[in-house]
């Protein structure tokens, strides 16, 4: 069971989180209002395609991306959150001020690439009833891909996530409100990412549902030779592998295609005899 404010997900089948980037490069045409409307319409389309929850991000955390101010991030995401009343919403942010405003605006999940290591962020989630995704990363988005190093990536990521679960429990956040995420691409080489995906079962067995975000990431480009716009098939394959290895939620761009792939997985799993 995953408890996200007024929404309860039973996790009897894998969930699909649809990605909506509320950044200027994502919806490029005339002005702020059009951009917000386009993001809202796009999120509604992803729900129709079978998404269970929408992840809205106002700041790119891709390797090397520019930072934005709290004010700019809020101007990007708040109108979109407000325009999606009734839809399960996750906000992809590591800024406590943005979390606070987003919770007040009615979001259902905080997707924190910093895993509530900022005390203010921990307190905002603890004082609410929203879910939280605790993600592992090494370093920060500006520099994390320069020289990632691990002695044993799976056990180090596992130890970090276990410690973040304990910290969140100690702050009063119920286990039913938590997700963990190995953070594919966040301070990891291709080798590290592949080991994490291969051994994902180990992390998925920690008593908290696991979210996997592999969609269109560089590791898929490194394997297939395809640029970001041509990674759909690789992304669907990676999502299915993650689910087969225990992931409860997959964070994806290509909702319709992923939902179809997971229907096949669900069909064979539900067949008795
Ligand atoms: C994640 O894994 N990722 S933002 C680079 C790409 C394509 C996609 C080079 N937020 C995650 O999606 N939140 C992001 O091509 C996330 N887990 C969670 N919980 C990066 C991203 C991307 C980066």
């Amino acid at each position: 069971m995953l408890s996200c404010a007024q929404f309860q997900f039973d996790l009897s089948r894998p969930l699909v989180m649809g990605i909506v980037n509320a950044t200027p490069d994502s919806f490029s045409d005339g002005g702020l209002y059009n951009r917000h409307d386009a993001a809202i319409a796009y999120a509604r389309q992803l729900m129709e395609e079978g998404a269970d929850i929408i992840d809205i991000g106002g700041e790119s955390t891709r390797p090397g991306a520019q930072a934005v101010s709290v004010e700019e991030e809020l101007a990007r995401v708040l109108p979109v959150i407000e325009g999606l009343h009734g839809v399960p919403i996750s906000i992809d942010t590591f800024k406590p001020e943005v979390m606070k405003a987003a919770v007040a605006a009615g979001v259902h999940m905080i997707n924190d690439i910093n895993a509530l290591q900022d005390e203010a962020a921990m307190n905002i989630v603890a004082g609410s009833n929203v879910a939280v995704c605790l993600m592992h990363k090494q370093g920060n988005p500006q520099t994390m891909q320069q020289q990632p190093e691990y002695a044993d990536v799976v056990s180090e990521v596992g130890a970090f996530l276990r410690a973040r679960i304990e910290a969140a429990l100690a702050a009063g956040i119920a286990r039913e409100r938590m997700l963990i995420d190995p953070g594919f691409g966040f301070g990891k080489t291709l080798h590290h990412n592949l080991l994490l995906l291969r051994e994902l079962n180990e992390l998925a067995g920690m008593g908290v549902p696991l979210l996997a975000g592999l969609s269109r990431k560089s590791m898929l480009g490194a394997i297939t030779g395809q640029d970001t716009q041509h990674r759909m098939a690789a992304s669907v394959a990676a999502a299915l592998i993650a689910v087969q290895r225990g992931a409860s939620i997959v964070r994806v761009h290509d909702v319709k295609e992923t939902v179809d792939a997971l229907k096949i997985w669900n069909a064979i799993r539900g067949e008795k005899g």
Side-chain angles (χ1 to χ4, degrees):
M1 180 68 89
L2 175 67
S3 179
C4 308
Q6 68 268 41
F7 292 105
Q8 315 290 319
F9 295 102
D10 71 4
L11 305 180
S12 58
R13 60 171 180 85
L15 302 181
V16 173
M17 171 184 270
I19 301 169
V20 173
N21 290 313
T23 51
D25 48 313
S26 305
F27 295 99
S28 55
D29 55 301
L32 206 57
Y33 294 107
N34 284 334
R35 205 209 296 162
H36 292 145
D37 284 346
I40 292 163
Y42 183 64
R44 292 200 178 279
Q45 180 194 320
L46 295 186
M47 289 302 291
E48 298 215 338
E49 291 178 1
D52 297 286
I53 184 164
I54 299 296
D55 190 42
I56 301 175
E59 172 171 21
S60 177
T61 47
R62 288 181 183 206
Q66 285 293 309
V68 301
S69 69
V70 169
E71 293 70 28
E72 173 64 19
E73 193 176 334
L74 283 173
R76 291 175 182 182
V77 299
L78 275 185
V80 181
I81 293 167
E82 285 159 4
L84 287 171
H85 195 77
V87 174
I89 298 293
S90 157
I91 172 90
D92 190 347
T93 188
F94 57 86
K95 296 195 187 78
E97 299 92 335
V98 175
M99 293 178 191
K100 192 173 178 185
V103 167
V107 301
H108 308 94
M109 183 188 297
I110 302 289
N111 177 17
D112 181 12
I113 63 159
N114 204 31
L116 302 184
Q117 290 178 96
D118 186 321
E119 198 181 320
M122 182 71 86
N123 290 337
I124 288 159
V125 175
S128 76
N129 63 354
V130 304
V132 62
C133 181
L134 304 166
M135 198 196 79
H136 175 274
K137 64 176 163 53
Q138 186 178 93
N140 56 59
Q142 277 73 41
T143 57
M144 64 191 179
Q145 290 306 103
Q146 284 169 13
Q147 208 173 56
E149 276 183 62
Y150 302 85
D152 178 341
V153 66
V154 178
S155 62
E156 284 175 47
V157 169
F160 173 84
L161 294 174
R162 213 167 282 117
R164 296 319 300 156
I165 293 168
E166 292 307 318
L169 285 170
I173 301 169
R175 194 175 276 275
E176 292 68 36
R177 292 168 55 201
M178 297 178 203
L179 292 155
I180 52 170
D181 182 339
F184 289 104
F186 285 84
K188 282 122 190 155
T189 63
L190 174 60
H191 173 64
H192 298 140
N193 287 316
L194 290 175
L195 287 177
L196 283 168
L197 184 54
R198 195 181 67 186
E199 309 298 334
L200 202 65
N201 263 320
E202 232 176 272
L203 303 174
M206 284 172 37
V208 170
L210 184 140
L211 184 153
L214 291 144
S215 188
R216 297 189 190 169
K217 284 190 176 171
S218 300
M219 61 181 285
L220 306 180
I223 298 165
T224 60
Q226 303 287 354
D227 62 25
T228 36
Q229 298 312 304
H230 299 94
R231 294 179 188 165
M232 188 205 289
S235 297
V236 172
L240 187 56
I241 292 168
V243 163
Q244 287 176 328
R245 284 161 158 71
S248 296
I249 306 195
V250 286
R251 178 182 178 275
V252 305
H253 298 87
D254 302 294
V255 168
K256 182 159 55 84
E257 292 77 9
T258 307
V259 166
D260 271 1
L262 294 181
K263 280 182 181 169
I264 308 301
W265 154 256
N266 278 319
I268 61 149
R269 201 177 39 149
E271 202 64 25
K272 299 281 181 288

